[in-house]
Amino acid sequence: MKIDYHTHNVRCGHAVGTIEEYVQSAIAKGMVQIGLSDHMPLLHVDPAAYYPEMAMPMDELPRYVEECLRLKDKYQNEISVRVGLEGDFIEGYEDAIAKIVQAYPWDYVIGSVHFLGTWDVTDFRQVHNWEGRSVFQVYEQYYDAVRKAAATGLYDYIGHIDAIKRFGYRPEEDVTELEDSALQAVSKHGLAIELNAAGIHTAAKEMYPSLRMLERAHTLGIPVTYGSDAHHPDRVGQKSEEAERLLRAAGFNEIATFQGRKRDRIPL
């Protein structure tokens, strides 16, 4: 696996290392493409009153893009740098998201569901929000958001599509239909998904998505890319060999890449 399309950096507040350190780490590991995809600024909550260190401030966004483009040029003879963004899907804020997506020369935009309303279901500081809730109903709400994200036309692929399992909350009810409905929406709207290695370090104890979802994605003809979701330069390309084995087990022999908002595929 010689690509990694999901990385963060110090700008988001909860990652370590400069963007350049992530690029240098990818070069040192022999990668041919590195995607830079820091978190989109918060739009629907007041950053000053919300949980700290969630995403880059809005005034950092143009500086983030400028730095990415500078590094793309600086390292062009050593690695292909792809400039991206992890763009939260927030229902009701589609127009504001679209303005960010349309304002910059992205190579790709990841559509990730972190928020159900003002609850970031991927933030360890907000796990208490599960208390008193039906786990199945939270899953229903989450996958409804994934389907809506896929339908917006704002994104190139869906990130960590089953990240709702991050903290180990799994309903007693069968969620196969919910998962498949999300994949069907991805297929219908011509998107890809990612195999995100970070899940293996969480209570979920497996990558995002599961092997079953990967197999279903392959059946539906959905392209898959790979992302480490690195929040430290050392984790660029983490678990990539295991990720490749999973992809091959699910039937994939190609992996999706992105440039100028256009998707391509290269052999595994």
Side-chain angles (χ1 to χ4, degrees):
M1 193 87 75
K2 295 297 184 182
I3 69 167
D4 184 349
Y5 269 78
H6 197 145
T7 62
H8 295 282
N9 67 89
V10 69
R11 265 193 179 85
C12 72
H14 59 275
V16 175
T18 65
I19 303 175
E20 188 160 16
E21 288 173 324
Y22 286 80
V23 174
Q24 291 171 340
S25 177
I27 293 170
K29 293 175 180 179
M31 291 189 171
V32 297
Q33 295 179 23
I34 180 66
L36 310 173
S37 58
D38 209 13
H39 291 283
M40 182 183 77
L42 297 176
L43 297 175
H44 70 305
V45 292
D46 179 0
Y50 195 63
Y51 292 83
E53 301 178 335
M54 296 293 292
M56 76 176 93
M58 188 63 76
D59 61 3
E60 279 294 319
L61 183 59
R63 287 190 278 272
Y64 162 71
V65 176
E66 288 168 5
E67 184 176 0
C68 289
L69 292 171
R70 178 179 63 80
L71 294 171
K72 184 174 189 173
D73 183 64
K74 179 177 179 179
Y75 290 99
Q76 61 181 311
N77 295 326
E78 298 175 72
I79 193 169
S80 181
V81 174
R82 307 294 164 92
V83 181
L85 181 75
E86 185 171 19
D88 286 301
F89 170 73
I90 305 153
E91 187 171 3
Y93 286 80
E94 292 87 348
D95 289 345
I97 298 167
K99 288 180 181 178
I100 291 174
V101 170
Q102 294 163 6
Y104 299 97
W106 307 113
D107 286 310
Y108 65 103
V109 179
I110 307 172
S112 293
V113 175
H114 296 104
F115 289 95
L116 299 180
T118 59
W119 173 22
D120 183 343
V121 297
T122 67
D123 184 3
F124 69 95
R125 297 167 297 182
Q126 301 182 46
V127 176
H128 62 275
N129 284 312
W130 283 96
E131 295 174 9
R133 295 177 186 261
S134 160
V135 175
F136 185 73
Q137 288 178 357
V138 174
Y139 270 61
E140 287 182 313
Q141 188 179 358
Y142 175 84
Y143 282 113
D144 178 65
V146 173
R147 292 192 298 270
K148 289 174 178 173
T152 62
L154 295 171
Y155 308 111
D156 298 292
Y157 70 84
I158 298 296
H160 45 59
I161 193 169
D162 62 347
I164 192 64
K165 69 188 181 187
R166 176 174 184 173
F167 296 109
Y169 288 88
R170 297 180 186 261
E172 295 179 0
E173 299 90 340
D174 184 8
V175 296
T176 300
E177 186 175 335
L178 293 178
E179 293 174 345
D180 285 358
S181 69
L183 289 171
Q184 288 161 2
V186 169
S187 176
K188 176 182 177 181
H189 297 287
L191 276 68
I193 63 170
E194 71 172 356
L195 179 56
N196 184 307
I200 208 163
H201 299 299
T202 71
K205 297 181 179 178
E206 64 179 4
M207 296 188 186
Y208 310 120
S210 64
L211 177 58
R212 192 207 70 80
M213 287 189 76
L214 278 178
E215 291 172 339
R216 181 62 175 151
H218 182 262
T219 300
L220 292 171
I222 297 171
V224 178
T225 194
Y226 160 78
S228 65
D229 211 340
H231 284 67
H232 189 291
D234 290 350
R235 288 205 164 177
V236 170
Q238 65 173 327
K239 303 292 183 180
S240 60
E241 292 181 0
E242 185 171 337
E244 183 173 343
R245 288 195 295 270
L246 274 174
L247 288 169
R248 291 190 184 279
F252 291 95
N253 54 27
E254 295 179 317
I255 195 158
T257 62
F258 301 87
Q259 189 169 25
R261 304 300 305 274
K262 295 183 183 299
R263 186 174 68 228
D264 200 357
R265 302 190 197 193
I266 60 174
L268 277 173

